[in-house]
Amino acid sequence: MKMDDIARLAGVSKAAVSLAFSGKPGIGPETRERILQIARENGYQPKARASLREQQAGSITFLVFANSGIVLEEYYQQPFFRELLHYIEERCRSHGYSLLYTSADMGSVQENLRAISGEKRSEGIILLGTNLDKALLEQVAAQWKGPLVVLDTCFETLPIPFVHINNILGGYQAGSHLCGLGHRHIGYIASDIRIRNFDDRRAGFMQALQENGVELAAENAFSVAPTILSSQESLKKQLSAYLEKGHAMPTAFFCECDYIAISAIKSLTELGYRVPADISVVGFDNISEARIITPELTTIHVEKERMAQLSVDMIMDIIQSDSAVTAKILVDTHLVERMSTAEPGAERS
């Protein structure tokens, strides 16, 4: 039996079969399991293509609880996570390790971790924590006894290693930037799905406004889906209803992530507003799409490469030293000023 036969029996492409065998992202967990099951039933063994160095090296598992909140099932296609994965894989390779990819079910933590342990292919887990709460992280730590590092969230009261964004600083930098430009009538566009990162960004933003004597009026806060890059009817309806009540449109908006910011720019443009001549917009994350949108997006840069390097180096240190000491690393952000912000009412060529 050949790989083409497996693809035909599974009703998928040969490329999908290759992704299933390699453990790389690109197909859903159900498709991957169906392909592997067909291969087992037919006694098919994929040919080893790894170099001698790769065969001798260990493996790290990148574990994601996908299709929950902001982390979609095809998370590897979302710009922020795509960049993180690229840097993590590069760092693993520099240590002589390969990176395996596993998507898990929120309701089957024990079974998923038992499967990883049973395969005996992974020496440790880098867990994407973006959409995870404290209770689930406690459950993972209790079930998985091996090396573990959680990336992109942090709970200070858990004795687990974390590598996290300084979201409070990022929100503070965004607020300080808008206040520094002279904006006083400021709006806030939040995600309608709440995670720790967004709450921290709001806290930092509010602190900057308070220090500058600016108040965020309750009616100036809106919420939208955080994973849509196109304009959103829900936002246009919220803004239209806001105007119908006699409110003046804010001169600037802070958005909790770049997805929301890009969607907001498109929505505002369709409503007849010019960015930044009429309204300034600031995002958060500095995804690659921030440079493609017109105007280019002013945003808070997240050191995704540095976070990836730190998470891999930390788990390697745990593997090699077998240390019980845990640490939490907070990675600072910085503002990237582009063309989507200006002084209130300023024309910009």
Side-chain angles (χ1 to χ4, degrees):
M1 177 160 294
K2 300 179 180 179
M3 190 179 291
D4 290 328
D5 300 317
I6 299 295
R8 178 176 51 80
L9 290 171
V12 298
S13 67
K14 186 176 177 180
V17 175
S18 178
L19 290 172
F21 290 150
S22 67
K24 292 185 177 180
I27 57 175
E30 292 182 0
T31 301
R32 187 187 308 278
E33 181 54 37
R34 185 170 76 254
I35 293 170
L36 296 177
Q37 180 63 30
I38 291 172
R40 288 192 293 267
E41 291 173 352
N42 290 273
Y44 178 81
Q45 292 292 332
K47 294 180 181 179
R49 297 183 179 180
S51 65
L52 179 61
R53 180 185 177 189
E54 289 174 328
Q55 293 173 21
Q56 292 174 339
S59 298
I60 299 298
T61 293
F62 185 78
L63 175 60
V64 178
F65 287 88
N67 209 16
S68 172
I70 196 171
V71 182
L72 305 179
E73 183 174 350
E74 296 182 342
Y75 66 91
Y76 43 83
Q77 294 182 2
Q78 293 177 255
F80 182 87
F81 303 126
R82 184 179 65 225
E83 292 179 47
L84 263 184
L85 278 173
H86 168 71
Y87 293 128
I88 291 172
E89 192 165 22
E90 276 193 342
R91 195 63 167 185
C92 284
R93 194 179 298 119
S94 73
H95 282 278
Y97 274 65
S98 59
L99 185 65
L100 308 175
Y101 302 87
T102 298
S103 293
D105 188 327
M106 288 280 195
S108 307
V109 175
Q110 186 172 350
E111 292 81 355
N112 293 136
L113 294 175
R114 188 184 297 120
I116 295 172
S117 180
E119 291 174 357
K120 297 181 179 179
R121 293 192 299 161
S122 180
E123 295 186 40
I125 290 176
I126 295 176
L127 173 62
L128 183 65
T130 311
N131 57 331
L132 306 184
D133 59 22
K134 182 181 178 183
L136 194 139
L137 289 172
E138 285 180 308
Q139 188 178 358
V140 171
Q143 296 293 332
W144 174 256
K145 303 302 182 183
L148 170 70
V149 171
V150 179
L151 179 62
D152 196 32
T153 194
C154 184
F155 290 89
E156 291 80 0
T157 56
L158 292 180
I160 300 173
F162 288 94
V163 176
H164 188 39
I165 306 165
N166 191 342
N167 288 291
I168 294 177
L169 173 62
Y172 183 85
Q173 291 166 334
S176 298
H177 173 64
L178 291 177
C179 291
L181 288 172
H183 292 281
R184 292 295 179 268
H185 185 43
I186 296 175
Y188 192 98
I189 307 181
S191 163
D192 59 10
I193 297 171
R194 304 311 301 166
I195 58 175
R196 171 75 183 269
N197 289 356
F198 293 154
D199 292 340
D200 286 349
R201 291 171 191 182
R202 182 181 178 91
F205 184 75
M206 296 301 291
Q207 182 177 337
L209 264 57
Q210 183 180 19
E211 290 181 7
N212 283 275
V214 177
E215 182 180 353
L216 177 65
E219 61 269 16
N220 287 5
F222 308 89
S223 66
V224 296
T227 56
I228 298 175
L229 282 171
S230 59
S231 66
Q232 297 193 47
E233 285 300 319
S234 65
L235 178 58
K236 290 193 288 185
K237 288 179 180 178
Q238 289 176 65
L239 292 173
S240 297
Y242 172 86
L243 293 172
E244 288 172 2
K245 292 179 180 178
H247 300 301
M249 185 69 82
T251 62
F253 281 108
F254 171 59
C255 304
E256 287 184 332
C257 68
D258 283 351
Y259 262 81
I260 294 175
I262 291 170
S263 178
I265 288 175
K266 293 181 177 180
S267 299
L268 288 167
T269 300
E270 291 180 8
L271 287 174
Y273 292 94
R274 300 166 299 167
V275 176
D278 300 321
I279 302 173
S280 291
V281 177
V282 179
F284 200 116
D285 285 333
N286 197 24
I287 61 176
S288 56
E289 283 76 0
R291 296 184 296 274
I292 299 173
I293 184 72
T294 301
E296 292 187 9
L297 182 65
T298 295
T299 184
I300 301 301
H301 177 73
V302 173
E303 297 287 349
K304 295 176 281 292
E305 182 174 8
R306 185 60 180 150
M307 289 174 63
Q309 292 172 347
L310 288 166
S311 63
V312 174
D313 291 352
M314 182 182 287
I315 201 162
M316 291 299 170
D317 183 61
I318 296 170
I319 291 170
Q320 293 165 9
S321 66
D322 196 27
S323 173
V325 178
T326 61
K328 294 167 179 58
I329 300 177
L330 195 64
V331 182
D332 285 347
T333 59
H334 66 265
L335 177 83
V336 177
E337 186 174 2
R338 297 195 180 101
M339 300 299 291
S340 69
T341 54
E343 296 177 0
E347 295 286 348
R348 178 179 286 192
S349 59

